[in-house]
Structures are given as C-alpha cells and as structure tokens.
Amino acid sequence: MKPFSTFITNLAILVIVFLGTFSTQSHAELPNLSSTKDERSLSNPSYVIGQHWFRQINSSQAVIAFPPAYNYVRQALSTIVPHTSLDNKMIEITLLNSTQSNAFVIPGNHLFIYSDIMEMITNEDMFYALLSHEVAHLDLNHYERQSQFSSQELSKTLIMIGASLAAAAAGAGSDATSALWIGGMANQAENTLTHSREQEQEADRQGRRYMKAAGLNPQGMNHLFKAMFKASLGRPRLEFLSTHPLPKTRIADSMSFQKEDSILRQKESSRDFLFFRATMLAYRAILSNRVDYALLQSIPNEDAYNFAQALVAYLQQSPQKALTFLAKVHTHNRFVSYLKALSLQSDGQKKAALKVVEGVLNLAPNDLSFGTLYATFTHTKYRGVEVPRYLYEKKQVWEADITYYRDRQNIPMALNYKALLDFSLGQDKEAQRLLFRALQDAKDTDKPLIKRTQDEIDRIKEAEKEEGIRDD
C-alpha cells in the first residue's frame, strides 16, 4: 500500500477514536454473525454491522454517482445470484473511483468495485468472474466462519475496518482516493486469519460453479487471473493481489478444472458492458493527468470511447464539450441517454433534456432512474411504480423529493428527505438535527411521516448499539 503520511497520522487518531466508540464491547463477547439467515434484517448482526460500514463508505466523495452503471451491475448480479444459496437475492452495490485495483464484499450482502480494476477487465466474461468470486464470499459465509474461528481476530478486523471507514468518511488526506485503501484494510485484516487463502481458493472454485450454472463462460475466471498476473508484473502494489494467493497459483488451480475454450466459442461482450466499463474508466481518467492517453489506451470501441470522453467533459463541468462527443456516438442506450439529458440540462437546454428523458419513459414508463430525473427536471413528485430497494435508487428518489418540496416551500418535508439522505451517508448527527427542525416546523398532516422517518433511523441506531458499533 502506498503510504500517505498525513492520512496515516489522521488514521492513527481515528483508530483511537473508533476504539473509544467500540470500548463498551471490545472485551465483550462478539456477536454470532451466523445466528440468522434472514440476511437483510435488523435481527441479523451480520447485516447490521455491514450496513453500518456501508453507510460510512458511501459518505466518501469518491463514490461514483451514475445510475446506469449501477443498473448494469445489478442486472449482471441477477444472472449469478439465483444460483447461490443466499436467502435474500439482493446485494447492495457501491462503485468507487480510485487509483487502486480492488473489489471486495462486507457482511450483510454489500459489494464494492473500484474503477481502476476495470482497466484489466477487458471483457464481460472476466467481469462475471469477478462478480462470481465476490458473491461466493457472501454465499459461503466467509466473514461469519471467521468470527467462529477466532473472535479475537474478528475484533481486530472490526476495529481496523471501522477506523478505515471513519477515515474515509472524514475525507482524510488531500487525495480523495487515498481513503479508498479501506478495501485493502478489509482484506488485510481478513487475511490475518488462518484460513484466508483457502477461502480465496474456495471462492474461486465456487464462482466457477455459479458461472457454469448460469450459462456463462467459466473460462472468464482463467482470463481474469491471467489479467491480474499480467497487471501484477507492471504494478509493484496491485491492491487486489496484495491480500490474495499468487495469481499464478490461482491460474493453475483454475486451469485444472477445464480446458481453455476455443476463441470461436467465446461470446462478445454486451454493449451495456462496454459502456459500463467506459463509465468506470472515465471516472478513473479524471484522476489521471493524461485523460486522453488513458482513455485511448483502454477503450478500443469507438462509441464507448466517445461516450467516455463525453462523461469526462461533463464531470469537468463542460456540458457543451460533452454534447459534442455524444453527437459522435451512434449507439442508443440508457448510458448515452442519461448522460445526454444531464449535459443538456447543465447547458441550459431544459426542453431538449426533458425530451430525452420523456423518450426513454415512453418506452419504459417504470424506469426509476429516468423517472426521478423527470421529477427533478420538472420539480414534480416522483410517482413511479417501481419501489426503490437499493441505496443508489433511494438516493435518487430522496434527491427528487428534496427538489420537489423545496420548490413548494415546504421546508420541513425537504428536511425530512435530506435527513434520510444524510443518514444513508453516515452523517447521523446531521440527520438527527434536520429531523428535529422538521418536526418543530411541520404541518400536522406531515408530522406522522417525519415521525416514521425518525422511528426508522432510531431502530437502525438501536440495532447498531446492541452490536457494540455505537454507544450514543
């Protein structure tokens, strides 16, 4: 791990702070994380702990906010997860912009993918292999099994990860991505336990089984390991490899399962994968001093390349330049339409932006991402049929609701949804402050809804307190 002196200093302080918050339970008996299979319930300690970390990580400025990318990952997971034994088939997703290559999971069915890892993942089979490997960790209850193996080591893991997440939430260091070595911390802490390498191999093998059951090409696992091995030769500190068995060992194990398929049998990557990869690399390119070079080297598809350039321009607050690149894109999909709508709106072309959104909704009226975009553009209430389940969806709805109620001068209701948004980003005290203000000034007809928000947050906080995560 590349050292960041300021960041390490801040982290050392935060370790002490986090130990203080953990003090009431640091010597107590740790929770049995496998005590329940109701995976997304506050009665499940694994979910409570994982959800707490998840909220902290999502407060980082490095979180990628581009809904079509999340929709693609969600759809890809839906191909794999039905072939697992996970009781609840829902896995929360967070995409993070980083100069490190990593992907990891935490308890409670939460998956994190760093943008940089998509440079080495060049086709969809490899991406499915990555997802299958990470889902296997969840399905095989690796964190829970570790807690049973060594409660002392798990205690260290919780403290290390908690301190790292606190650092990420605090924005430690001048480089936002420096906080994203939390994944490495999670893996490093995990690998202090005796069976970590065996678990990685177990996840590799189980992931292959998922791919085969789902009708995917299991050789994607071989290709992923080969790419990892190649990348490790050129990078002295490849984060994804630093806490895993040697790539050549994993290649040998993977190759022993099945002979390499002929290239004629390999399927082409879908267009959505190409644009998902372009999205991740566009965000990654923002962190580079040579944006054009990075994109040219990594994105051979012309439409995906122009889309990536457009996204970079939009992120750099140049909507006209973004629209120029989008005009060169011949592919029509939700990635392109979403970015075009955002760019037109930022450029002041509100009617044209709304027309793009309406064009998508005419074909898919229940599309949540474009439904919330329509509500935001028109300052109307989002009334979509699809109920938001994932955090990235809820954030879109809450942001639209904030716009709607602010436009109608109903500040207490705007504060209610702002509180939900802040709490989802780990800003618990700010959320509590906003709810207090909202209840004071709200109309009688609005108070029951605000109180339900307060009750929901209180239930989560109480569950976290029971697991020793917080003492307030």
Side-chain angles (χ1 to χ4, degrees):
M1 182 67 61
K2 182 180 178 181
F4 295 85
S5 57
T6 304
F7 179 65
I8 295 299
T9 302
N10 292 340
L11 178 61
I13 297 171
L14 285 164
V15 169
I16 297 173
V17 172
F18 186 78
L19 280 169
T21 64
F22 211 79
S23 60
T24 58
Q25 295 284 332
S26 60
H27 299 291
E29 183 177 350
L30 286 164
N32 180 3
L33 297 184
S34 58
S35 62
T36 175
K37 285 294 291 178
D38 189 2
E39 294 163 351
R40 299 191 61 81
S41 167
L42 291 179
S43 64
N44 181 359
S46 180
Y47 173 70
V48 172
I49 294 171
Q51 185 69 4
H52 178 79
W53 294 342
F54 183 69
R55 291 192 293 110
Q56 305 306 312
I57 296 176
N58 273 277
S59 68
S60 169
Q61 293 181 353
V63 171
I64 293 173
F66 196 75
Y70 287 82
N71 291 336
Y72 168 77
V73 179
R74 176 180 166 183
Q75 184 62 39
L77 284 169
S78 72
T79 304
I80 299 166
V81 175
H83 303 283
T84 71
S85 60
L86 294 172
D87 286 355
N88 189 306
K89 307 303 183 184
M90 177 179 167
I91 297 177
E92 286 277 17
I93 310 156
T94 297
L95 306 176
L96 296 163
N97 197 20
S98 175
T99 59
Q100 303 290 337
S101 287
N102 207 354
F104 64 99
V105 292
I106 59 176
N109 290 8
H110 301 89
L111 168 68
F112 301 85
I113 302 173
Y114 288 17
S115 58
D116 190 73
I117 202 170
M118 295 310 300
E119 188 172 353
M120 76 173 72
I121 296 178
T122 56
N123 64 61
E124 199 163 25
D125 289 340
M126 295 166 66
F127 186 65
Y128 275 119
L130 176 70
L131 295 180
S132 297
H133 171 88
E134 297 301 333
V135 169
H137 279 304
L138 297 173
D139 193 20
L140 295 168
N141 297 312
H142 280 166
Y143 276 91
E144 289 82 352
R145 285 160 55 185
Q146 286 169 355
S147 73
Q148 294 172 348
F149 174 75
S150 173
S151 61
Q152 181 180 3
E153 293 294 344
L154 178 66
S155 179
K156 295 177 184 178
T157 300
L158 295 176
I159 292 169
M160 291 174 70
I161 297 176
S164 302
L165 298 181
S174 58
D175 181 0
T177 62
S178 67
L180 293 182
W181 65 297
I182 50 181
M185 284 286 287
N187 289 334
Q188 185 66 45
E190 176 184 356
N191 271 359
T192 61
L193 305 180
T194 303
H195 301 299
S196 61
R197 288 184 182 271
E198 289 86 348
Q199 288 185 347
E200 290 301 324
Q201 185 179 68
E202 187 180 21
D204 292 343
R205 293 177 175 181
Q206 187 72 357
R208 287 180 61 89
R209 296 187 186 102
Y210 297 152
M211 295 182 74
K212 186 175 181 180
L216 302 170
N217 180 10
Q219 293 302 329
M221 196 73 75
N222 298 353
H223 302 155
L224 175 63
F225 295 150
K226 288 178 180 178
M228 289 164 56
F229 178 70
K230 182 179 179 181
S232 69
L233 298 177
R235 299 186 184 186
R237 300 301 299 236
L238 182 61
E239 194 62 39
F240 188 68
L241 304 181
S242 64
T243 57
H244 291 64
L246 292 175
K248 62 182 181 182
T249 302
R250 302 176 80 177
I251 293 172
D253 181 69
S254 184
M255 292 290 285
S256 68
F257 273 73
Q258 185 178 346
K259 292 182 178 179
E260 186 76 33
D261 283 347
S262 165
I263 192 171
L264 298 177
R265 296 180 59 187
Q266 297 175 13
K267 294 188 295 185
E268 291 186 5
S269 299
S270 70
R271 284 188 177 182
D272 281 349
F273 169 78
L274 296 177
F275 280 81
F276 165 74
R277 182 172 182 269
T279 299
M280 296 290 278
L281 292 180
Y283 273 88
R284 171 63 182 84
I286 292 293
L287 305 177
S288 171
N289 292 326
R290 302 176 64 185
V291 172
D292 291 342
Y293 175 80
L295 291 175
L296 283 170
Q297 292 296 311
S298 303
I299 307 175
N301 180 274
E302 184 176 358
D303 273 2
Y305 165 80
N306 284 317
F307 167 80
Q309 288 281 24
L311 182 53
V312 167
Y314 173 78
L315 294 173
Q316 293 179 331
Q317 300 182 351
S318 299
Q320 290 184 346
K321 186 177 179 181
L323 292 169
T324 299
F325 277 110
L326 286 173
K328 302 176 183 179
V329 178
H330 302 291
T331 300
H332 298 284
N333 60 18
R334 282 171 170 74
F335 285 87
V336 177
S337 296
Y338 198 88
L339 179 56
K340 187 174 183 179
L342 291 178
S343 300
L344 287 167
Q345 183 76 4
S346 296
D347 194 44
Q349 302 182 50
K350 297 183 178 181
K351 289 185 178 180
L354 192 59
K355 185 176 180 180
V356 172
V357 173
E358 290 173 335
V360 174
L361 291 176
N362 286 337
L363 298 175
N366 296 329
D367 189 297
L368 186 145
S369 295
F370 283 86
T372 52
L373 206 58
Y374 177 88
T376 301
F377 287 176
T378 59
H379 294 190
T380 56
K381 181 72 173 173
Y382 170 71
R383 304 188 185 281
V385 176
E386 185 177 349
V387 178
R389 298 176 60 211
Y390 297 82
L391 179 59
Y392 80 93
E393 293 179 321
K394 292 177 181 179
K395 286 163 65 176
Q396 294 173 70
V397 174
W398 293 334
E399 288 167 353
D401 285 339
I402 292 169
T403 300
Y404 170 76
Y405 284 110
R406 279 180 177 170
D407 187 64
R408 278 152 182 75
Q409 300 299 310
N410 189 338
I411 303 304
M413 285 297 288
L415 292 176
N416 172 74
Y417 290 106
K418 182 65 165 61
L420 280 169
L421 183 60
D422 285 355
F423 185 75
S424 75
L425 302 178
Q427 300 170 23
D428 299 7
K429 291 183 178 180
E430 178 64 14
Q432 190 63 54
R433 187 183 68 82
L434 293 176
L435 283 176
F436 179 78
R437 285 179 54 197
L439 280 171
Q440 279 189 320
D441 301 332
K443 300 175 183 177
D444 289 341
T445 54
D446 292 335
K447 284 185 177 180
L449 188 149
I450 299 173
K451 287 180 180 178
R452 284 199 297 271
T453 298
Q454 180 70 71
D455 291 343
E456 178 184 348
I457 290 176
D458 286 345
R459 282 195 300 271
I460 296 173
K461 291 168 66 176
E462 183 61 30
E464 292 178 351
K465 186 175 181 180
E466 290 178 2
E467 302 307 331
I469 301 174
R470 64 193 312 143
D471 57 8
D472 56 6

